[in-house]
Amino acid sequence: MPEPSAGPLRIALAQRNPTVGDIAGNCALVRAARAEAAETGADLIAFSELFVTGYPPEDLILKPSFQVAAEAAVEELAKETADGGPAILLGAPWREDGKLYNAALLLQGGEIAARRYKYALPNYGVFDEIRVFAQGPLPGPIAFGDLRLGVMICEDLWVDEVSECLGESGADILFAINGSPFERDKTDVRLNNAVTRVTETGLPLIYLNQVGGQDELVFDGASFVLGADCTLRAQAAMFAEDTLHTSWSPGSDGVWQCETSLPSRHPDGLEAIYHAMVLGLRDYVGKNGFPGVLIGMSGGIDSALSAAVATDALGPDKVRSVRMPSRYTSDASLDDGGEGADLLGLTTDTISIEPAVAAFEGMMSDVFAGREADATEENIQARVRGVILMAMSNKLG
């Protein structure tokens, strides 16, 4: 089995955007990133949690045919590492003794050289892994040349038992592969938690997260490396694919050190939320194969912001706006809606809802006789607009 080259150990951290269910496409991402890493002299390239299947796979992971396909893809990737190029560390589902695990696999020298299974299975919020996976044992480190990797899988980083066990059993670096969704101000929470693990163990830490939108979730990336002194040594981009090329060597005290690189700038606050909205929409449309989006432009702030998000996510050629005035619509609202669409470069249709509203009023006149107009009539207008947008969406694809 080939060993890492002499000198500094080079580990490439591939922050990529997998798609749930697209095993072939996700493995193509692995191959492309590995080829790039080989050109830089990397000894190891790593990917995020359940990268082979995409994350979160939810009930798809329970299909035996899907499990077989994922394992076959991993075995094929493992064979390819016999070429002397970088070893691969990545996440995938794996079966053993009739149980299904959330696994981290080291592919090296043409084979699956090591397996570690997720110990802490989250069962809150968007996570329900206890229902899907079996709990793995507390892990020991994985030997990689002279280095012992203390591999953790996402939630394992958030409990102290796993890092404590890895530290006591001789790990040199804590290495967490993650599928951690974006939440406002979560980057600070992650960093503080990582600092806690480093402080407890005295070991440097790699945090590798996936990026991209998947259904209702957005993964922000923002992967990083902490030194044993808790300093930030490297940091990947947020809301974008990126590769961190890290170089490691043991210090005079025997503690492995990562060469420091300039960290990427991260948006925060409302800017981060806007980036998350853009990325989430782009991947929702792209991964589901939709041709674009249709937006009702009322002239208000809400539709203007939605149109801006859609245009930044997809480009103006994939966004179509519709103005749907009634007798109550002011000229100012029409003008604002039109101007907003023009500024974004959108195609705009104008369809009056007055004939449909009048028809409903005529149909309901006997029932509504003697009653003042109120929110009922306003809601009829909203529903008419919804019908128009749905009809256009159906007809135009």
Side-chain angles (χ1 to χ4, degrees), residues 249-338:
S249 56
S252 58
D253 57 358
V255 177
W256 283 74
Q257 299 176 357
C258 177
E259 183 177 317
T260 304
S261 62
L262 188 66
S264 297
R265 176 193 173 274
H266 285 182
D268 57 11
L270 292 178
E271 184 186 1
I273 291 172
Y274 189 86
H275 280 282
M277 293 166 66
V278 168
L279 178 58
L281 179 61
R282 179 185 298 131
D283 280 350
Y284 184 77
V285 170
K287 291 181 179 182
N288 286 288
F290 300 138
V293 299
L294 190 65
I295 294 178
M297 291 289 281
S298 68
I301 293 174
D302 51 356
S303 63
L305 178 59
S306 297
V309 170
T311 303
D312 282 348
L314 308 171
D317 58 316
K318 292 187 177 181
V319 182
R320 187 164 183 162
S321 67
V322 189
R323 295 185 300 178
M324 294 169 286
S326 74
R327 75 190 73 160
Y328 302 108
T329 304
S330 68
D331 290 340
S333 293
L334 277 173
D335 292 343
D336 287 348

Side-chain angles (χ1 to χ4, degrees), residues 28-325:
L29 294 176
V30 172
R31 292 185 174 96
R34 181 172 183 262
E36 294 175 5
E39 294 179 358
T40 67
D43 301 294
L44 173 68
I45 183 166
F47 298 85
S48 53
E49 179 181 13
L50 289 176
F51 191 88
V52 171
T53 59
Y55 187 83
E58 300 187 359
D59 285 4
L60 186 60
I61 203 74
L62 299 176
K63 294 181 177 292
S65 60
F66 189 67
Q67 298 169 14
V68 169
E71 291 175 358
V74 170
E75 289 168 351
E76 187 61 34
L77 287 172
K79 292 177 184 176
E80 295 172 18
T81 62
D83 63 3
I88 301 171
L89 178 68
L90 83 175
W94 203 259
R95 294 172 298 172
E96 184 175 320
D97 297 331
K99 296 180 180 180
L100 180 66
Y101 294 96
N102 184 338
L105 307 170
L106 177 66
L107 315 182
Q108 184 183 20
E111 63 182 12
I112 300 172
R115 297 189 296 269
R116 294 295 183 270
Y117 300 140
K118 190 171 184 177
Y119 171 78
L121 301 175
N123 195 43
Y124 58 87
V126 300
F127 307 108
D128 59 350
E129 292 192 31
I130 289 177
R131 180 178 64 87
V132 178
F133 295 109
Q135 182 183 33
L138 283 168
I142 296 174
F144 185 72
D146 295 331
L147 183 65
R148 290 164 294 182
L149 301 173
V151 177
M152 302 180 285
I153 304 175
C154 204
E155 192 75 11
D156 290 344
L157 180 66
W158 296 80
V159 299
D160 56 12
E161 302 100 294
V162 178
S163 57
E164 180 181 355
C165 179
L166 288 167
E168 291 177 350
S169 53
D172 295 310
I173 298 174
L174 299 178
F175 201 141
I177 62 173
N178 300 268
S180 181
F182 169 78
E183 296 175 18
R184 185 169 187 171
D185 300 326
K186 192 173 183 179
T187 51
D188 289 340
V189 176
R190 289 185 194 134
L191 187 59
N192 290 337
N193 184 65
V195 166
T196 299
R197 300 286 88 85
V198 171
T199 302
E200 291 170 348
T201 61
L203 299 176
L205 182 145
I206 294 172
Y207 179 94
L208 175 57
N209 195 22
Q210 81 173 52
V211 69
Q214 185 61 51
D215 296 326
E216 77 278 17
L217 301 178
V218 178
F219 298 90
D220 52 323
S223 304
F224 60 84
V225 177
L226 291 180
D229 57 358
C230 296
T231 58
L232 186 66
R233 300 300 179 91
Q235 188 173 54
M238 199 173 185
F239 302 115
E241 291 191 323
D242 198 4
T243 302
L244 281 179
H245 298 280
T246 66
S247 180
W248 294 82
S249 56
S252 58
D253 57 358
V255 177
W256 283 74
Q257 299 176 357
C258 177
E259 183 177 317
T260 304
S261 62
L262 188 66
S264 297
R265 176 193 173 274
H266 285 182
D268 57 11
L270 292 178
E271 184 186 1
I273 291 172
Y274 189 86
H275 280 282
M277 293 166 66
V278 168
L279 178 58
L281 179 61
R282 179 185 298 131
D283 280 350
Y284 184 77
V285 170
K287 291 181 179 182
N288 286 288
F290 300 138
V293 299
L294 190 65
I295 294 178
M297 291 289 281
S298 68
I301 293 174
D302 51 356
S303 63
L305 178 59
S306 297
V309 170
T311 303
D312 282 348
L314 308 171
D317 58 316
K318 292 187 177 181
V319 182
R320 187 164 183 162
S321 67
V322 189
R323 295 185 300 178
M324 294 169 286

